[in-house]
């Protein structure tokens, strides 16, 4: 007896379908800055940053978001601010989604997956879900919980099961209760965090290995982890609620035409990331509160997330950006997508001192010539 959760919560308050937008600036990386130009973006406050205006270097562009995470922000802080608050809803039959958006190299995988020493949103969120389940089961007898995972990838508008790598493109369907389902997708029951790790880590490694062989595939596909929590009543009427949490490491938002994927003709490059393009339209239309149709059906990713993005779902988008000049246009595009507001300020962008080579051009030539070439 599945129960659908209404848009109004228990207090009768109508929740908005806005997608919260956070921006995370990763630390400056010297080797990403061959010309030794220093950063072109910097934080100004907990919601604002500025970027140099390339049209006029005497100006900066200032942007405002729901949250700005500066380069010093830790993995724990990102989790606490953007993800932890939405996890309890999963135990109450509600849906949620967390995305990392931004150009390749800006920190999406660091944010979502992280490393052994600095675990990201995914391991922290899964731990949190198990912890909440344990507390609920300890404190009340009426409900029991079961947790499970699926892990998939959308590549070239194909839905691929990462827990069953030989599987083919899977269909996305809507059931009679308007839940989005993927028949045939592997669902693995999980008993603990270490159980999750045992299934997730090898599947992630599969994906990374494949990506180097397949020409940076990981930067052009969306990796989607689904954590499902089913809450069942032990006594009649045996109600059941299902909550879904999607944790998504999106494809790189860089413009494939400009970054020159040589093998791909201009006409085709537009279709490389139909899902990413449609996602931005969906988020825009949700955040504009427009009465019109939200174009979920225009791509696989948004169709898949239809019941977990907007509506009564809790959604957060973490836009990752990089401070070096070589990312300038991709940063600019990502910020324009993420911003609540933007204005031009008439003041030069003060260059910070960086550990740059005396002569950036020479360092680059040395590098090209096969020398050590690292800026000193
Ligand atoms: P993306 O997944 O967007 O392509 P990555 O997460 O792989 O980007 O990040 C690119 C590089 O920058 C990696 O070496 C990563 O470890 C590093 N990096 C990204 N974000 C941070 C951060 N907040 N702090 C430290 N290093 C970071
Ligand atoms: Mg990545």
């Amino acid at each position: 007896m599945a129960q659908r959760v209404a848009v109004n919560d228990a207090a009768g308050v109508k929740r908005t379908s806005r997608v919260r937008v956070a921006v995370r600036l990763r630390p400056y990386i010297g080797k990403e800055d061959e010309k030794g130009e220093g950063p072109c973006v910097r934080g100004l406050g907990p919601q604002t940053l500025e970027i140099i205006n390339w049209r006029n270097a005497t100006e900066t562009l200032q942007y405002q978001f729901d949250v700005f995470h500066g380069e010093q922000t830790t993995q724990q802080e990102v989790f606490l601010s953007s993800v932890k608050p939405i996890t309890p809803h999963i135990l109450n039959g509600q849906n949620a989604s967390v995305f990392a958006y931004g150009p390749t190299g800006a920190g999406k995988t660091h944010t979502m997956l992280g490393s052994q020493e600095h675990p990201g949103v995914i391991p922290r969120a899964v731990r949190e879900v198990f912890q909440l389940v344990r507390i609920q089961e300890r404190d009340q007898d009426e409900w029991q919980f079961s947790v499970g995972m699926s892990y998939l990838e959308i590549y070239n508008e194909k839905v691929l099961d990462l827990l069953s790598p030989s599987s083919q493109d899977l269909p996305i369907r809507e059931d009679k209760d308007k839940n989005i389902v993927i028949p045939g997708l592997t669902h693995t029951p999980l008993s603990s965090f270490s159980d999750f790790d045992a299934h997730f880590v090898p599947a992630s490694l599969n994906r990374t290995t494949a990506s180097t062989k397949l020409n940076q595939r990981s930067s052009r596909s969306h990796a989607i982890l689904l954590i499902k929590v089913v809450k069942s009543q032990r006594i009649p009427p045996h109600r059941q609620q299902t909550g879904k949490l999607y944790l998504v490491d999106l494809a790189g938002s860089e413009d494939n035409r400009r970054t020159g994927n040589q093998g791909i003709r201009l006409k085709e490059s537009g279709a490389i990331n139909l899902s990413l393009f449609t996602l931005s339209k969906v988020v825009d239309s949700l955040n504009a509160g427009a009465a019109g149709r939200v174009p979920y059906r225009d791509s696989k990713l948004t169709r898949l997330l239809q019941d977990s993005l907007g509506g009564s779902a809790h959604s957060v988008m973490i836009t990752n950006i990089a401070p070096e000049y070589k990312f300038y246009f991709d940063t600019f595009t990502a910020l324009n997508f993420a911003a609540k507001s933007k204005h031009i300020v008439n003041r030069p962008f003060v260059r910070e001192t960086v550990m740059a080579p005396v002569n950036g051009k020479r360092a680059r030539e040395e590098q090209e010539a096969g020398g050590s070439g690292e800026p000193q």
Side-chain angles (χ1 to χ4, degrees):
M1 256 177 286
Q3 196 200 38
R4 292 235 330 126
V5 174
V7 175
N8 288 359
D9 65 17
V13 179
K14 189 172 187 302
R15 279 190 304 274
T16 70
S17 55
R18 270 200 82 235
V19 177
R20 256 170 70 85
V21 179
V23 168
R24 184 183 199 184
L25 173 65
R26 77 148 160 71
Y28 171 83
I29 299 177
K31 70 175 189 313
E32 294 285 8
D33 184 9
E34 295 170 357
K35 296 181 190 162
E37 293 169 298
C40 63
V41 193
R42 68 157 159 257
L44 294 174
Q47 293 189 305
T48 50
L49 63 71
E50 68 175 350
I51 180 168
I52 190 164
N53 186 0
W54 63 280
R55 289 175 191 276
N56 179 350
T58 67
E59 295 172 347
T60 65
L61 300 163
Q62 296 192 356
Y63 288 82
Q64 198 197 355
F65 315 97
D66 293 316
V67 183
F68 170 68
H69 296 301
E71 58 209 301
Q72 306 292 333
T73 313
T74 63
Q75 299 283 66
Q76 170 76 345
E77 285 163 346
V78 170
F79 173 71
L80 290 180
S81 137
S82 296
V83 183
K84 192 176 180 202
I86 65 178
T87 47
H89 301 295
I90 316 305
L91 277 73
N92 285 319
Q94 293 175 28
N95 297 341
S97 49
V98 179
F99 310 88
Y101 179 88
T104 300
K108 295 182 297 299
T109 303
H110 179 78
T111 295
M112 296 307 292
L113 197 57
S115 57
Q116 203 73 35
E117 315 81 71
H118 303 288
V121 160
I122 287 175
R124 287 172 199 269
V126 175
R127 264 188 207 286
E128 176 71 13
V129 166
F130 277 108
Q131 203 165 332
L132 291 173
V133 163
R134 238 170 277 127
I135 293 170
Q136 293 246 338
E137 289 192 327
R138 188 194 62 200
D139 294 349
Q140 50 80 39
D141 298 326
E142 188 180 343
W143 298 91
Q144 64 181 16
F145 295 83
S146 65
V147 181
M149 71 178 277
S150 297
Y151 189 31
L152 60 141
E153 178 180 58
I154 296 180
Y155 178 66
N156 272 343
E157 292 301 286
K158 288 196 175 67
V159 176
L160 305 168
D161 189 344
L162 288 169
L163 295 177
S164 171
S166 56
S167 78
Q168 302 293 306
D169 185 16
L170 296 168
I172 302 174
R173 304 250 159 81
E174 191 174 277
D175 71 11
K176 61 177 186 355
D177 295 323
K178 298 214 177 299
N179 296 308
I180 303 294
V181 291
I182 302 182
L185 180 68
T186 309
H187 173 83
T188 306
L190 301 173
S191 58
S192 63
F193 177 81
S194 51
D195 201 12
F196 162 77
D197 232 24
H199 290 95
F200 180 69
V201 171
S204 309
L205 289 177
N206 273 344
R207 181 170 182 258
T208 330
T209 321
S211 77
T212 39
K213 282 191 202 132
L214 290 173
N215 189 21
Q216 297 303 308
R217 172 168 168 160
S218 81
S219 68
R220 293 204 263 131
S221 72
H222 311 288
I224 303 165
L225 172 67
L226 167 61
I227 301 295
K228 213 190 250 189
V229 179
V230 180
K231 174 180 180 181
S232 314
Q233 202 173 22
R234 292 179 197 270
I235 50 169
H238 298 291
R239 280 164 57 204
Q240 200 172 71
Q241 298 179 344
T242 301
K244 297 194 284 188
L245 170 63
Y246 281 101
L247 298 162
V248 186
D249 186 345
L250 290 168
S253 65
E254 62 273 11
D255 184 340
N256 283 294
R257 284 163 299 187
R258 202 170 46 72
T259 48
N261 273 301
Q262 258 109 38
I264 299 151
R265 300 202 315 276
L266 201 68
K267 182 162 68 79
E268 290 163 326
S269 64
I272 285 179
N273 242 309
L274 177 68
S275 280
L276 203 58
F277 177 63
T278 308
L279 177 68
S280 34
K281 288 198 293 186
V282 166
V283 171
D284 265 352
S285 79
L286 290 171
N287 284 1
R293 146 184 176 296
V294 181
Y296 290 111
R297 286 172 177 266
D298 292 1
S299 78
K300 292 285 173 73
L301 176 73
T302 50
R303 179 69 172 141
L304 177 71
L305 294 170
Q306 183 161 355
D307 62 2
S308 309
L309 177 62
S312 61
H314 307 261
S315 319
V316 181
M317 165 128 91
I318 305 172
T319 300
N320 290 90
I321 56 168
E324 302 84 22
Y325 273 86
K326 77 173 206 191
F327 289 92
Y328 185 86
F329 286 101
D330 294 321
T331 302
F332 194 62
T333 314
L335 291 176
N336 285 329
F337 168 43
K340 272 169 66 170
S341 74
K342 161 174 117 168
H343 61 276
I344 294 177
V345 173
N346 199 285
R347 70 161 180 165
F349 189 91
V350 181
R351 295 216 170 178
E352 286 157 24
T353 328
V354 289
M355 291 197 300
V358 191
N359 181 340
K361 184 160 173 276
R362 205 186 70 226
R364 201 166 66 250
E365 281 163 3
E366 278 169 10
Q367 222 167 21
E368 280 160 10
S372 70
E374 277 283 309
Q376 300 304 301

